[in-house]
Amino acid sequence: MSNARANHLTRRGIIAAGGALGLGAVLAACGDDDSTSGGSKSTESAAAKSGPWTFKDDRGTTVKLDKIPANIVAFTGVAAALYDYGVQVKGVFGPTKTTDGKADVQAGDMDITKVEVIGNVWDEFNVEKYAALAPDVLISTTFDNAGTLWYVPEASKDKIAKLAPSVAVSVYDRQITAPLERMWELAESLGADMAAAADAKKRFETAATRLRAAAKAKPEIKVMAGSASDQLFYVSGTNLSIDLEYFKALGVNFVEPPENAKAEGGGWYESLSWENVDKYQADIIMMDDRSSTIQPADIAKPTWKQLPAVKAGQVIPRSPEPILSYDKCVPLLENLADALEKAKKVA
């Protein structure tokens, strides 16, 4: 989302929006060479390397350091992706712990007890803790053309920027394959052993082939991407979201709110009252799995329970902020393919 668009959106609306993902801002970076993370020795090899480190990010910004960053601080989802490639960060910000102290879905397989959490919710970023980590680089995603760092507070972004250079991976208005490739390149530059991740990449390609075939076999099945809050239900269009754009390119038939209906959501989504949740006909509903949203099992609204897809049990999870490793993205494709293969026309 652009800053102009984000400014007029409500905090709850952006958090709940299936296509908008978290809430915009900047990131941090700090990591160590704990070779136990991610199950590989890649961080050991990274630490062993000498010489300068250079990486050009999706803002066109080139970060140059005397050596490969050892102290990395990153947005939680980015840290989770790097962990899958064997790169351990030192600090994280963004949804990391749930209210019961467990790992948030966006933390993936990371051991959250081994990272310093400097911010767990929107607009929370402890600059003092960040500085104490002596960060070499801060890494996050960006959801707009301006390169705004995700989950870095507007109020403190200038202070944060002075402490370490930043790297941004764009997840705005492109298919998921693009940021997956960029995260791969970033992990490789940080010393990850990419040969160990080659199998996951092949599984991703196989899953994409399966999803394409499933969509081709059942073009009549309509899929809706939704997200729930207490007062509103959000319907995401495929434009702008990296997962939905890719699924659509593979042939999945999505519900598409008109552009004027998505104006309130900055082009990402349409907001519906629960009384109007049946505005669109869908055979499968993909529901936002983030902890900031209400999960299907907890939705008590009568209008929700009467939706054909809900009554037919054709509701599956969706990860609007996917962890950008091939290993974590394979299930996104497989789950949708499985749902399409089994789906009945109910709308």
Side-chain angles (χ1 to χ4, degrees), residues 90-135:
K90 190 165 284 186
V92 297
F93 56 94
T96 306
K97 297 181 180 179
T98 59
T99 53
D100 59 3
K102 295 180 180 179
D104 189 274
V105 65
Q106 290 184 254
D109 292 331
M110 268 197 309
D111 183 346
I112 61 174
T113 67
K114 292 184 177 181
V115 293
E116 181 74 37
V117 181
I118 62 176
N120 194 57
V121 297
W122 178 248
D123 220 26
E124 179 182 83
F125 192 112
N126 190 312
V127 180
E128 289 71 25
K129 283 186 177 181
Y130 176 56
L133 291 172

Coordinates of all heavy atoms in Angstrom, one line a residue, residues 90-135:
K90 N 19.5 -12.4 15.0 CA 19.7 -12.1 16.4 C 18.4 -11.4 17.0 O 18.1 -11.7 18.2 CB 20.9 -11.2 16.6 CG 21.3 -11.1 18.1 CD 22.7 -10.6 18.3 CE 23.7 -11.6 18.0 NZ 25.1 -11.2 18.3
G91 N 17.7 -10.6 16.2 CA 16.5 -9.9 16.7 C 15.4 -9.9 15.7 O 15.7 -10.0 14.5
V92 N 14.2 -9.8 16.2 CA 13.0 -9.8 15.3 C 12.0 -8.7 15.7 O 12.0 -8.3 16.9 CB 12.3 -11.2 15.2 CG1 13.2 -12.2 14.6 CG2 11.8 -11.6 16.6
F93 N 11.2 -8.3 14.8 CA 10.1 -7.4 15.1 C 8.9 -7.8 14.2 O 9.1 -8.3 13.1 CB 10.5 -5.9 14.9 CG 11.0 -5.6 13.5 CD1 10.1 -5.2 12.5 CD2 12.3 -5.8 13.2 CE1 10.6 -4.9 11.2 CE2 12.8 -5.5 11.9 CZ 11.9 -5.1 10.9
G94 N 7.7 -7.6 14.7 CA 6.5 -8.1 14.1 C 5.9 -9.3 14.8 O 6.5 -9.7 15.9
P95 N 4.8 -9.8 14.4 CA 4.1 -10.9 15.1 C 5.0 -12.1 15.4 O 5.3 -12.8 14.4 CB 2.9 -11.2 14.2 CG 2.7 -10.0 13.4 CD 4.1 -9.4 13.2
T96 N 5.4 -12.3 16.6 CA 6.3 -13.4 16.9 C 5.8 -14.3 18.0 O 5.9 -15.5 17.9 CB 7.7 -12.8 17.5 OG1 8.2 -11.8 16.5 CG2 8.7 -13.9 17.7
K97 N 5.1 -13.7 19.0 CA 4.5 -14.5 20.1 C 3.0 -14.3 20.2 O 2.6 -13.1 20.1 CB 5.2 -14.2 21.4 CG 6.6 -14.5 21.5 CD 7.2 -14.1 22.9 CE 8.7 -14.4 23.1 NZ 9.2 -14.0 24.4
T98 N 2.3 -15.3 20.4 CA 0.8 -15.2 20.6 C 0.6 -14.8 22.1 O 1.5 -14.8 22.9 CB 0.1 -16.5 20.3 OG1 0.6 -17.5 21.1 CG2 0.3 -16.8 18.8
T99 N -0.6 -14.5 22.4 CA -0.9 -14.1 23.8 C -0.6 -15.2 24.8 O -0.4 -14.9 26.0 CB -2.4 -13.7 23.9 OG1 -3.2 -14.8 23.4 CG2 -2.7 -12.4 23.1
D100 N -0.6 -16.4 24.4 CA -0.3 -17.5 25.3 C 1.2 -17.9 25.3 O 1.7 -18.9 25.9 CB -1.1 -18.8 25.0 CG -0.9 -19.3 23.6 OD1 -0.1 -18.7 22.9 OD2 -1.6 -20.3 23.2
G101 N 2.0 -17.0 24.6 CA 3.5 -17.2 24.6 C 4.0 -18.2 23.6 O 5.2 -18.4 23.5
K102 N 3.1 -18.7 22.7 CA 3.6 -19.6 21.7 C 4.1 -18.9 20.5 O 3.8 -17.7 20.3 CB 2.5 -20.6 21.4 CG 2.1 -21.5 22.5 CD 0.9 -22.5 22.1 CE 0.5 -23.4 23.2 NZ -0.6 -24.3 22.8
A103 N 4.7 -19.6 19.6 CA 5.2 -19.0 18.4 C 4.0 -18.6 17.5 O 3.1 -19.4 17.2 CB 6.2 -19.9 17.6
D104 N 4.0 -17.4 17.0 CA 3.0 -16.9 16.0 C 3.2 -17.7 14.7 O 4.3 -18.1 14.4 CB 3.2 -15.4 15.8 CG 2.1 -14.8 15.0 OD1 2.1 -14.9 13.7 OD2 1.1 -14.3 15.6
V105 N 2.1 -17.8 14.0 CA 2.2 -18.5 12.7 C 3.2 -17.9 11.8 O 3.9 -18.6 10.9 CB 0.8 -18.5 12.0 CG1 0.3 -17.1 11.6 CG2 0.8 -19.4 10.8
Q106 N 3.5 -16.6 11.9 CA 4.5 -15.9 11.0 C 5.9 -16.2 11.4 O 6.8 -15.8 10.7 CB 4.2 -14.4 11.0 CG 2.9 -14.1 10.2 CD 2.6 -12.6 10.1 OE1 1.8 -12.0 10.7 NE2 3.4 -12.0 9.2
A107 N 6.1 -16.8 12.6 CA 7.5 -17.2 13.0 C 7.9 -18.5 12.4 O 9.1 -18.8 12.6 CB 7.5 -17.2 14.6
G108 N 7.0 -19.2 11.8 CA 7.4 -20.5 11.2 C 8.1 -21.4 12.1 O 7.5 -21.7 13.2
D109 N 9.2 -22.0 11.8 CA 9.9 -23.0 12.6 C 10.9 -22.4 13.5 O 11.6 -23.1 14.2 CB 10.6 -24.0 11.7 CG 9.5 -24.9 10.9 OD1 8.4 -25.1 11.5 OD2 9.9 -25.4 9.8
M110 N 11.1 -21.1 13.5 CA 12.1 -20.5 14.4 C 11.9 -20.8 15.8 O 10.7 -20.9 16.3 CB 12.0 -18.9 14.2 CG 12.8 -18.3 13.2 SD 13.0 -16.5 13.5 CE 11.3 -16.0 13.7
D111 N 12.9 -20.9 16.6 CA 12.9 -21.1 18.0 C 12.9 -19.6 18.6 O 13.9 -19.0 18.6 CB 14.1 -21.8 18.5 CG 14.1 -22.1 20.0 OD1 13.2 -21.4 20.7 OD2 14.8 -22.9 20.5
I112 N 11.7 -19.2 18.9 CA 11.6 -17.8 19.3 C 12.2 -17.4 20.7 O 12.4 -16.3 21.0 CB 10.1 -17.3 19.4 CG1 9.3 -18.1 20.4 CG2 9.5 -17.4 18.0 CD1 7.8 -17.6 20.5
T113 N 12.7 -18.5 21.4 CA 13.4 -18.2 22.6 C 14.8 -17.9 22.3 O 15.5 -17.4 23.2 CB 13.4 -19.5 23.5 OG1 14.1 -20.5 22.9 CG2 11.9 -19.9 23.8
K114 N 15.3 -18.0 21.1 CA 16.7 -17.7 20.8 C 16.8 -16.4 20.0 O 17.9 -16.1 19.5 CB 17.2 -18.9 19.9 CG 17.4 -20.2 20.7 CD 18.1 -21.3 19.9 CE 18.3 -22.5 20.7 NZ 18.9 -23.6 19.9
V115 N 15.8 -15.6 20.0 CA 15.9 -14.3 19.3 C 15.4 -13.2 20.3 O 14.5 -13.5 21.1 CB 15.1 -14.3 18.0 CG1 15.7 -15.2 17.0 CG2 13.6 -14.6 18.2
E116 N 15.9 -12.0 20.1 CA 15.5 -10.9 20.9 C 14.3 -10.3 20.2 O 14.4 -9.9 19.0 CB 16.6 -9.9 21.0 CG 16.2 -8.6 21.8 CD 16.2 -8.9 23.3 OE1 17.0 -9.7 23.8 OE2 15.3 -8.3 24.0
V117 N 13.1 -10.3 20.9 CA 11.9 -9.7 20.3 C 11.9 -8.2 20.6 O 11.6 -7.9 21.8 CB 10.6 -10.4 20.7 CG1 9.4 -9.8 20.1 CG2 10.7 -11.9 20.5
I118 N 12.1 -7.4 19.7 CA 12.1 -5.9 19.9 C 10.8 -5.2 19.6 O 10.6 -4.0 19.8 CB 13.3 -5.2 19.2 CG1 13.1 -5.4 17.7 CG2 14.6 -5.8 19.6 CD1 14.2 -4.7 16.9
G119 N 9.8 -6.0 19.1 CA 8.5 -5.5 18.8 C 7.6 -6.7 18.4 O 8.0 -7.5 17.6
N120 N 6.4 -6.8 19.0 CA 5.6 -8.0 18.7 C 4.3 -7.6 18.1 O 3.6 -8.4 17.5 CB 5.3 -8.7 20.0 CG 4.7 -10.1 19.8 OD1 5.3 -10.9 19.1 ND2 3.6 -10.3 20.4
V121 N 3.9 -6.3 18.1 CA 2.7 -5.8 17.5 C 3.0 -4.6 16.7 O 4.1 -4.0 16.7 CB 1.6 -5.5 18.6 CG1 1.3 -6.7 19.4 CG2 2.1 -4.4 19.6
W122 N 1.9 -4.2 16.0 CA 2.1 -3.0 15.1 C 2.5 -1.8 15.9 O 2.0 -1.5 17.0 CB 0.8 -2.8 14.4 CG 0.8 -1.6 13.5 CD1 0.1 -0.4 13.6 CD2 1.6 -1.4 12.3 NE1 0.4 0.5 12.6 CE2 1.3 -0.1 11.8 CE3 2.5 -2.3 11.6 CZ2 1.9 0.3 10.6 CZ3 3.1 -1.8 10.5 CH2 2.8 -0.5 10.0
D123 N 3.4 -1.0 15.4 CA 3.9 0.2 16.0 C 4.7 0.0 17.2 O 5.0 1.0 18.0 CB 2.7 1.2 16.2 CG 3.1 2.6 15.9 OD1 4.0 2.8 15.0 OD2 2.5 3.5 16.5
E124 N 5.2 -1.2 17.5 CA 6.1 -1.5 18.6 C 7.4 -1.9 18.1 O 7.6 -2.8 17.4 CB 5.5 -2.6 19.4 CG 6.3 -3.0 20.6 CD 5.7 -4.2 21.4 OE1 5.9 -5.3 21.0 OE2 5.0 -3.9 22.4
F125 N 8.4 -1.1 18.5 CA 9.8 -1.3 18.1 C 10.7 -0.7 19.1 O 10.8 0.6 19.2 CB 10.1 -0.7 16.7 CG 11.4 -1.2 16.0 CD1 11.3 -2.0 14.9 CD2 12.6 -0.7 16.5 CE1 12.5 -2.3 14.3 CE2 13.8 -1.1 15.9 CZ 13.8 -1.9 14.8
N126 N 11.4 -1.5 19.9 CA 12.2 -0.9 21.0 C 13.6 -0.5 20.4 O 14.4 -1.4 20.2 CB 12.4 -2.0 22.1 CG 13.0 -1.4 23.4 OD1 14.0 -0.7 23.3 ND2 12.4 -1.7 24.5
V127 N 13.7 0.7 20.2 CA 15.0 1.2 19.6 C 16.2 1.0 20.5 O 17.3 0.7 20.0 CB 14.9 2.7 19.3 CG1 16.1 3.2 18.6 CG2 13.7 3.0 18.3
E128 N 16.0 1.0 21.8 CA 17.1 0.8 22.7 C 17.6 -0.7 22.6 O 18.8 -0.9 22.6 CB 16.7 1.1 24.1 CG 16.6 2.6 24.4 CD 15.3 3.2 23.8 OE1 14.3 2.4 23.5 OE2 15.3 4.4 23.5
K129 N 16.7 -1.6 22.6 CA 17.0 -3.0 22.4 C 17.7 -3.2 21.1 O 18.7 -4.0 21.0 CB 15.8 -3.9 22.6 CG 15.3 -4.1 24.0 CD 14.2 -5.1 24.0 CE 13.7 -5.4 25.4 NZ 12.6 -6.4 25.4
Y130 N 17.2 -2.6 20.1 CA 17.7 -2.7 18.7 C 19.2 -2.3 18.7 O 20.1 -2.9 18.2 CB 16.9 -1.9 17.8 CG 17.4 -1.9 16.3 CD1 17.6 -3.1 15.6 CD2 17.7 -0.7 15.7 CE1 18.1 -3.1 14.3 CE2 18.1 -0.7 14.4 CZ 18.3 -1.8 13.7 OH 18.8 -1.8 12.4
A131 N 19.5 -1.1 19.3 CA 20.8 -0.5 19.3 C 21.8 -1.5 20.1 O 22.9 -1.7 19.7 CB 20.8 0.9 20.0
A132 N 21.2 -2.1 21.2 CA 22.1 -2.9 22.0 C 22.5 -4.2 21.3 O 23.5 -4.8 21.6 CB 21.3 -3.3 23.3
L133 N 21.8 -4.6 20.3 CA 22.1 -5.8 19.5 C 23.3 -5.5 18.5 O 23.8 -6.4 17.8 CB 20.9 -6.3 18.7 CG 19.8 -6.9 19.5 CD1 18.6 -7.2 18.7 CD2 20.3 -8.2 20.2
A134 N 23.7 -4.2 18.4 CA 24.7 -3.8 17.5 C 24.5 -4.3 16.1 O 25.3 -5.0 15.5 CB 26.1 -4.2 18.0
P135 N 23.3 -4.0 15.5 CA 22.9 -4.6 14.2 C 23.9 -4.2 13.1 O 24.3 -3.1 13.0 CB 21.5 -4.0 14.0 CG 21.5 -2.7 14.7 CD 22.4 -3.0 16.0

